[in-house]
Amino acid sequence: MTADRPARHRRLGRRAALPVLIALVGSLLSVGAVAANDGTTIVRGVQLAAGSCEDGGYAMTGSLVGCWWIDTFETKSDPDKATFRATGTEHFTGCMGSATGTLYTTYSFTAKTDGPWPTSAEIHGRCHHPIIRGTGGFAGASGVLNFHDVVDVSPPYYPYVGNVHLARP
């Protein structure tokens, strides 16, 4: 009987955790609804590989439709290490729903490679993009976008999720 007791305890623990999980998800959804009522849009989609837009840009799909370009790129890493960090600026030109214009971001990129980063393949990476300004339909925009690198396929791709707050007219 003692061997069965821990299994029953785990089942009861899971059942007890279900209402807590439901409450947590509900609270997160209500926060999203409040954000949406404030002019903030939750965005998600996939950035395609470099060169999928002109001049080496990255085609954007999902909530943001258009092209993404790297403007500046500054390495912050020791070339002998298998970790990589860079910062810089980028911009997106395209649409989010009926809004059309350009979003400008700064970014912080981190990655792990399978050897010294200048000559080794990326294992995983991610970047964080605060929106610093916008033009056209994105004038006065703020928010943040986060990307995750999927590099174990060819061509690689980069899912993104974030929020964009558009200024009210």
Side-chain angles (χ1 to χ4, degrees):
M1 265 200 219
T2 56
D4 190 43
R5 191 167 193 196
R8 265 193 251 147
H9 176 70
R10 282 193 300 269
R11 282 193 300 265
L12 289 175
R14 288 181 186 145
R15 275 191 234 142
L18 185 59
V20 173
L21 180 61
I22 290 170
L24 177 62
V25 169
S27 69
L28 291 174
L29 291 175
S30 66
V31 169
V34 170
N37 288 334
D38 191 28
T40 299
T41 301
I42 305 302
V43 296
R44 61 178 32 109
V46 173
Q47 180 185 68
L48 303 179
S52 52
C53 276
E54 63 187 44
D55 298 329
Y58 300 76
M60 300 292 288
T61 67
S63 302
L64 301 174
V65 178
C67 291
W68 189 282
W69 290 275
I70 299 170
D71 298 318
T72 64
F73 186 87
E74 185 176 334
T75 301
K76 308 280 187 182
S77 301
D78 179 342
D80 295 329
K81 304 281 184 191
T83 56
F84 183 77
R85 189 168 91 79
T87 60
T89 58
E90 297 181 337
H91 74 277
F92 162 77
T93 299
C95 302
M96 182 181 80
S98 62
T100 300
T102 300
L103 290 171
Y104 294 88
T105 76
T106 59
Y107 69 87
S108 175
F109 171 71
T110 57
K112 172 82 173 136
T113 58
D114 65 3
W117 65 262
T119 58
S120 301
E122 180 181 335
I123 297 169
H124 60 79
R126 63 177 177 256
C127 52
H128 179 74
H129 298 264
I131 297 169
I132 55 173
R133 69 182 175 94
T135 64
F138 298 132
S142 61
V144 65
L145 301 168
N146 292 297
F147 291 73
H148 170 75
D149 298 2
V150 178
V151 295
D152 59 348
V153 296
S154 184
Y157 61 95
Y158 314 95
Y160 68 89
V161 64
N163 64 77
V164 178
H165 180 84
L166 298 179
R168 292 190 176 175

